């Protein structure tokens, strides 16, 4: 569960957070993710924030679903996306074999480290066979509180161990990138594309 502290932050700062993230250029990440998704396929933007990315995917002809744990963010995101954004957490995700792609951009990092294994199983189950999952975490090895939000940082080793514990997930690639927000360029992110392999 996102902690009450983190949820309170997003509920109290939903408009500021939306304003500061809605125009960030994510095209480099889209170029990695979208070619792996079936044309016109169904993408889940999980922990969608402002729905910036979901709106882009929708413009590209994909079917889009989205959720966020923050009621206030989900309300703003629904307006931007022009469809309902569900209020939900990763721990409540119970879909099976439903999505061609799942996009978890800077969202899983608020899940406590001890809950991530269960969440990765839920993401695996929600993907169709050969579906692709994108995840990003701030690069590191700590659980920490920063400016009223709780973060779980991962590196390649900790991320790989999470993926290895899911029998149907295969790592396609991982890479590091700099934060795209002005003034945050020194912050490093760990990105990964992960594929759901059909059961043998």
């Amino acid at each position: 569960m996102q902690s009450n502290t983190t949820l309170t932050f997003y509920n109290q700062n939903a408009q500021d957070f939306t304003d500061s993230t809605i125009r960030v250029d994510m095209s480099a990440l889209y170029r990695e993710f979208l070619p792996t998704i079936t044309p016109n396929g169904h993408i889940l933007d999980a922990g969608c924030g402002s729905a910036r990315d979901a709106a882009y995917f929708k413009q590209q002809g994909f079917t889009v679903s989205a959720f966020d744990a923050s009621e206030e963010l989900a309300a703003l995101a629904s307006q931007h996306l022009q469809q309902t954004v569900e209020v939900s957490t990763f721990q409540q995700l119970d879909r099976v074999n439903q999505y061609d792609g799942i996009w978890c951009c800077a969202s899983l990092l608020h899940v406590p480290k001890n809950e991530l294994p269960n969440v990765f199983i839920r993401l695996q189950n929600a993907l169709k066979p050969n579906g692709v999952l994108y995840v990003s975490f701030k690069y590191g090895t700590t659980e920490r509180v920063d400016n009223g939000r709780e973060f779980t940082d991962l590196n390649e080793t900790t991320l790989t161990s999470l993926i290895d514990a899911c029998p149907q997930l295969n790592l396609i690639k991982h890479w590091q990138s700099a934060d795209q927000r002005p003034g945050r360029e020194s912050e490093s992110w760990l990105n990964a594309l992960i594929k759901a392999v059909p059961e043998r």
Side-chain angles (χ1 to χ4, degrees), residues 164-179:
D164 287 347
C166 299
Q168 287 156 254
L169 290 184
N170 269 5
L171 179 66
I172 301 172
K173 66 181 289 191
H174 57 60
W175 70 99
Q176 289 184 47
S177 60
D179 201 301

Side-chain angles (χ1 to χ4, degrees), residues 49-125:
S50 64
R52 168 198 64 210
D53 304 327
Y56 180 81
F57 301 153
K58 193 173 176 179
Q59 286 169 0
Q60 305 309 304
F62 293 96
T63 299
V64 171
S65 298
F67 72 76
D68 199 276
S70 160
E71 286 183 33
E72 298 295 328
L73 270 179
L76 291 171
S78 297
Q79 293 172 20
H80 182 59
L81 190 58
Q82 297 184 314
Q83 69 183 60
T84 301
V85 170
E86 195 181 345
V87 178
S88 185
T89 66
F90 283 102
Q91 292 87 339
Q92 293 169 314
L93 179 64
D94 59 0
R95 311 281 153 74
V96 175
N97 198 21
Q98 192 156 342
Y99 304 107
D100 299 288
I102 302 180
W103 176 261
C104 302
C105 183
S107 51
L108 283 168
L109 46 68
H110 294 309
V111 176
K113 195 169 189 177
N114 65 346
E115 296 181 29
L116 278 172
N118 174 260
V119 165
F120 266 72
I121 291 286
R122 289 174 179 273
L123 291 165
Q124 167 193 274
N125 293 344

